[in-house]
Amino acid sequence: MFYEYALTYHMPFGTFSLYPPAADRKAWEALDETWKKDAVALGRSYLHYAYPQLSATDFLDFTITGNRVRYEEKYFARRHALDALVLAECVLNTGEFLPDIINGIFCICEESGWQLPPHNSYRRDTPQLPLPDAEEPVLDLFACETAAVLATVCYLIGEQLDGFDPVICKRIRHELETRIFQPYLSEHFWWMGNGEEPMNNWTVWCTQNVLLAVFLTATKEDFRRCVIEKACRSIDYFLAEYGEDGCCDEGALYYRHAGLCLFNALEILNAVTYGHFASLYQETKVRNIAAYLMNVHVQDKYYVNFADCSPVPGRCSAREFLFARRTGNQEMAAFAAQDFMRGLPQTMLLPGENNLYYRLQNAFTVKEIVAYAAGVAAAPIDYTDIFYPSTGLFIARDAVYFLAVKAGGNGDSHNHNDTGSFTIYKNGFPLLIDVGVESYTKKTFSPQRYEIWTMQSAYHNLPTVNGCMQKEGKTYKAVDTSTRFGEESCEIRMNLAKAYPAQAGLKYYNRRAVLVKRQEIRIEDTFGFVEAADDNADAAAYDRKQVILSLMTYEKVVPVSQEQREGLLLKIGDKGVIYITGGRYVETEEIPVTDQRLKTAWEHAVYRTLIEAEGTSLAVRIC
C-alpha cells in the first residue's frame, strides 16, 4: 500500500514544515498563552543544568546486574532537559537558553552509542553486547528517536545556533549521517522487515523518527527517495501483520508507539509529497487503527490492558486528536480532546516525553484541542460493544459495568500467558484486574521471561489445572471462540484447553463470559479431563482433576458466610461482590506493589484470591 504510493510519486520532495521554526516570530507569538508561559517556566527550571554523566560503567550496568532503569533515567533526563530548553528559547527568542542547549547537544553527540543497553545487538533475540561500538551504530528505538530530537533542534533554532557558531549544526548533521543515515540504507535491522520477520511497534516507531531526521535536515533528493521507498516497505510489512480491525495486540500504551507513529509517518510522507499519500488516511485499516484507543477506554485514566500494557497508559495529546481529525472520526477527536483536558497541566507540555517533535505538535495544536473540547464538553462519547477478531479481544459495557476478555493466544508481542483472562470495572473502578508488568529488566526479554510472576497465568483471572499454568507460544491458544452482542446482554465463549500443556490433562475447558446489562457479569467455566489408557505410564497423573481459579483484585477480598444454596459470597472491599457456585474459598494473598512501574497504575497492594472447583463447573457472578 505505502510502497506503491512511493513508487508512483515522481515530483521533487517538498520541505517538511508543518510547524514553523523559531524564526517565524508571528507564529510562535500566536501560540496559546498558557502553553507559552508554562514552556518558559519549564525551560528556566533547566538553566545552568548539569547534564548527567553517562559513563561506560553505567552502560555496563545492564549486562552486569540486568537493571536498565538506572542508565535510562540519566539518558532520558538529558533529552527532557534539551527539549524543554529548546521550546523555551523558541518562545522567547532571546538567546537566554542557548548555552544550556549547546551543552545538551554536545553531551548527546558525544555519547558512544545512542541505543539503550538492552538493545545493543545486531541480530534479533541475540545477547546484548556489553558496550557500544562507535564504528558500528545500532539503530534501535532511541537511537532513531535521538536523531529525530537533534534534527528537530536544528530545524527549530538552526539559525540561532549558526549565529552562535556554525559548527553546532554541522556536528549534528555529521552525527546523523554516520549514526543513522548511512546505516539505515546500508544495513538491515530486524525492525525494517523483509516480509518474513514478525514486526511490532519498533517498525513504525523507528521509521517515523528516521523520516523526521531526514526531512527536517538538508538531505539530498536522491537520498530522500531511497529513504522513502525503504520506509514505505517497512510500513507495509508492519501493516501486513495488523488486523483489518485495527487492534493493537500490544495494548493502549504501545498503541502510542505503533498506531500513532504510523500516523506521524503518514503525516511526513503526505507533507513532503504535496498530499500524494492523503487518501491513505481513509483506508479502512488506518481508520480502525485510529479509533482503537477510544474503543479500549474504560473510564477516566483506565484502559483495557493485557500483556505488557498498563491499565493507566497516559492521557491523550495532540497526536491522538490529529489522527482522529485526519481520519474524519469526530467521536475519537472528541474523546481525545476531552481526555487532554482531564490531563492538564501535564498534557500541556508533555514534560516526560522524549520526542521533541511530539512536544512541538502539542504546542501548535493546543488551541485547537481546547476549542474543540469546549464545543463537545456536554456531548457523551457513544462507546460501543466490540470484538476484535485479530486478537480475540472482546469488550462489552453499560452505564455501570465494563467487561473485557482476551481470547486469542499466547503468541502476541509483549505477551503474557493470559488467554481467556478477563478484567472487570464497576462505575469506572477496577474490580478484577490485569496487573500489568513491572519495570523492564534483562530477564523481561530473556528465555526466563515466564518465570516473572506478572507474566504467568496463575496471576491472571485464570485457572491452574492439575498444577499446570498456561504456556507461551502461538500454539497455546483459545479455540472455538464465538461472540454474541445484544441490547440486553453480550457474551463470548471459548475453549481454553489448548492454552495449557498436555500435562494438565484437559479434554476441554469452556469459558463463557456474559455481561447482563444493568445487572451483573457472569463467568461460567465447565471442564472435562482426558482418560489415560491402561498402559499409560503416567496414568496416575490423570487421576488428578484439580482446578484452582485465580481472581486478581484491586481491593481485598473477604469471604462472607452464606447458606449452601446461595454458594460462596466474597466482598471486594466496598466496591462489589462475587458469588461463587461450584467452588470453595482457599485463600487471599496480598501482593505489595513496590515496583515503580506498577506504582503508576496501582496506589496500593493488589490481591490474589484462590477458589478450588468442587466438581466440573465453576460459576462466578460479579455485581
Side-chain angles (χ1 to χ4, degrees):
M1 181 162 58
F2 276 73
Y3 185 55
E4 290 178 4
Y5 274 70
L7 292 180
T8 56
Y9 182 77
H10 305 297
M11 301 290 289
F13 296 109
T15 302
F16 182 56
S17 55
L18 286 180
Y19 307 106
D24 187 343
R25 298 313 306 154
K26 187 175 180 179
W28 280 86
E29 287 165 5
L31 291 179
D32 180 88
E33 291 299 324
T34 300
W35 186 91
K36 289 191 294 182
K37 177 176 69 69
D38 291 351
V40 170
L42 183 61
R44 284 186 171 146
S45 73
Y46 284 104
L47 284 172
H48 314 299
Y49 181 67
Y51 286 87
Q53 180 184 1
L54 284 175
S55 65
T57 51
D58 288 331
F59 201 97
L60 279 167
D61 189 26
F62 175 76
T63 298
I64 296 169
T65 70
N67 184 293
R68 58 186 283 174
V69 173
R70 287 189 287 266
Y71 182 88
E72 290 176 12
E73 285 177 343
K74 295 180 180 180
Y75 176 99
F76 292 126
R78 288 179 162 198
R79 286 144 178 84
H80 295 163
L82 179 62
D83 289 356
L85 289 160
V86 168
L87 291 176
E89 180 59 38
C90 287
V91 172
L92 294 183
N93 197 39
T94 59
E96 175 183 355
F97 303 94
L98 285 181
D100 293 294
I101 289 170
I102 295 166
N103 282 341
I105 290 170
F106 273 78
C107 273
I108 292 171
C109 286
E110 289 166 4
E111 292 172 4
S112 294
W114 285 344
Q115 70 273 24
L116 294 183
H119 303 159
N120 191 35
S121 62
Y122 298 94
R123 298 285 184 272
R124 190 175 196 171
D125 298 328
T126 57
Q128 296 83 9
L129 299 170
L131 291 168
D133 184 343
E135 294 184 358
E136 297 287 341
V138 172
L139 272 63
D140 80 327
L141 297 174
F142 297 103
C144 296
E145 190 155 81
T146 296
V149 168
L150 291 177
T152 307
V153 171
C154 240
Y155 169 77
L156 287 175
I157 59 169
E159 187 175 306
Q160 294 93 316
L161 293 173
D162 284 346
F164 195 95
D165 190 335
V167 76
I168 302 166
C169 285
K170 179 182 177 183
R171 175 66 184 276
I172 290 175
R173 289 190 291 270
H174 169 76
E175 299 299 334
L176 294 179
E177 178 69 24
T178 57
R179 294 179 191 249
I180 304 296
F181 297 165
Q182 290 179 12
Y184 179 73
L185 289 183
S186 63
E187 303 293 335
H188 177 78
F189 291 90
W190 68 265
W191 55 262
M192 296 173 175
N194 59 12
E196 297 178 0
E197 296 173 278
M199 301 289 94
N200 62 16
N201 64 79
W202 278 57
T203 301
V204 283
W205 193 353
C206 292
T207 299
Q208 163 212 260
N209 285 314
V210 170
L211 287 170
L212 281 171
V214 169
F215 283 94
L216 287 173
T217 52
T219 49
K220 294 180 179 179
E221 183 77 8
D222 57 346
F223 171 73
R224 290 181 166 202
R225 190 166 298 278
C226 290
V227 167
I228 276 193
E229 289 183 5
K230 184 166 186 174
C232 286
R233 283 196 196 97
S234 293
I235 294 170
D236 281 346
Y237 293 139
F238 168 80
L239 284 173
E241 296 193 19
Y242 236 90
E244 190 72 9
D245 56 24
C247 186
C248 180
D249 68 359
E250 300 173 291
L253 175 66
Y254 287 93
Y255 162 85
R256 294 193 161 102
H257 306 311
L260 293 186
C261 288
L262 170 70
F263 162 67
N264 263 340
L266 181 50
E267 286 280 275
I268 300 161
L269 293 168
N270 195 51
V272 302
T273 60
Y274 304 99
H276 183 68
F277 286 78
S279 63
L280 292 182
Y281 288 114
Q282 303 311 317
E283 286 288 325
T284 299
K285 184 180 289 190
V286 174
R287 287 170 54 84
N288 287 341
I289 290 172
Y292 166 82
L293 193 70
M294 179 180 69
N295 291 335
V296 297
H297 180 241
V298 179
Q299 189 169 310
D300 191 27
K301 65 181 180 179
Y302 291 114
Y303 287 78
V304 175
N305 72 301
F306 295 103
D308 275 355
C309 185
S310 169
V312 184
R315 298 291 187 181
C316 291
S317 61
R319 292 189 297 156
E320 293 88 344
F321 176 77
L322 291 171
F323 199 6
R325 296 283 276 165
R326 296 288 191 273
T327 55
N329 189 332
Q330 301 310 317
E331 282 200 323
M332 176 64 192
F335 162 75
Q338 291 171 2
D339 196 59
F340 174 91
M341 298 304 292
R342 283 193 293 267
L344 291 173
Q346 290 296 307
T347 49
M348 185 70 75
L349 292 182
L350 306 179
E353 176 53 62
N354 311 312
N355 197 312
L356 177 57
Y357 184 75
Y358 298 170
R359 297 197 193 193
L360 179 64
Q361 272 183 310
N362 238 43
F364 281 88
T365 314
V366 162
K367 273 190 172 181
E368 183 182 356
I369 294 174
V370 171
Y372 200 93
V376 298
I381 304 299
D382 184 20
Y383 293 111
T384 58
D385 303 322
I386 193 168
F387 178 64
Y388 283 109
S390 67
T391 59
L393 178 59
F394 168 93
I395 296 171
R397 65 183 99 204
D398 60 26
V400 176
Y401 296 105
F402 183 101
L403 168 66
V405 184
K406 188 235 180 196
N410 288 336
D412 296 332
S413 181
H414 288 267
N415 171 69
H416 291 194
N417 290 337
D418 57 3
T419 296
S421 190
F422 56 86
T423 55
I424 294 173
Y425 288 75
K426 182 179 179 182
N427 295 318
F429 185 86
L431 289 185
L432 285 110
I433 64 172
D434 184 298
V435 175
V437 69
E438 294 176 315
S439 300
Y440 286 163
T441 66
K442 191 173 185 178
K443 190 174 185 178
T444 308
F445 298 104
S446 75
Q448 291 74 46
R449 175 180 175 87
Y450 297 96
E451 295 175 4
I452 302 171
W453 69 277
T454 58
M455 314 291 184
Q456 298 173 348
S457 61
Y459 290 88
H460 291 79
N461 297 308
L462 288 166
T464 299
V465 183
N466 288 331
C468 296
M469 295 186 290
Q470 289 187 3
K471 294 283 288 181
E472 67 277 7
K474 291 184 177 181
T475 59
Y476 295 95
K477 59 186 178 181
V479 296
D480 304 327
T481 301
S482 64
T483 60
R484 181 186 59 79
F485 293 96
E487 292 185 4
E488 298 302 318
S489 67
C490 302
E491 68 175 66
I492 182 171
R493 296 171 183 256
M494 71 199 80
N495 181 357
L496 301 179
K498 290 188 180 297
Y500 290 81
Q503 291 86 341
L506 280 172
K507 185 175 182 180
Y508 62 87
Y509 194 105
N510 294 328
R511 168 161 284 184
R512 176 176 180 251
V514 187
L515 168 60
V516 181
K517 296 206 170 183
R518 298 167 294 279
Q519 292 186 33
E520 63 185 15
I521 291 170
R522 301 172 186 164
I523 310 297
E524 299 170 355
D525 292 354
T526 58
F527 33 89
F529 298 87
V530 297
E531 299 297 330
D534 292 340
D535 59 351
N536 192 315
D538 296 325
Y542 289 92
D543 290 337
R544 295 186 302 142
K545 292 180 172 57
Q546 184 188 59
V547 171
I548 296 181
L549 177 65
S550 296
L551 296 175
M552 304 295 300
T553 61
Y554 190 30
E555 295 295 319
K556 187 174 183 179
V557 166
V558 178
V560 179
S561 297
Q562 285 285 291
E563 297 178 15
Q564 189 62 37
R565 62 184 179 84
E566 296 284 346
L568 174 66
L569 171 63
L570 309 175
K571 292 185 67 176
I572 312 173
D574 61 355
K575 304 298 183 182
V577 295
I578 303 174
Y579 294 96
I580 305 284
T581 54
R584 69 174 188 87
Y585 174 80
V586 178
E587 64 176 350
T588 295
E589 170 192 7
E590 179 176 313
I591 304 174
V593 174
T594 57
D595 176 78
Q596 289 303 311
R597 183 164 181 165
L598 287 183
K599 281 183 176 180
T600 63
W602 311 117
E603 297 174 1
H604 56 70
V606 298
Y607 299 86
R608 181 173 73 143
T609 296
L610 301 181
I611 304 295
E612 184 172 11
E614 296 176 320
T616 57
S617 65
L618 193 56
V620 181
R621 292 171 49 226
I622 300 98
C623 52

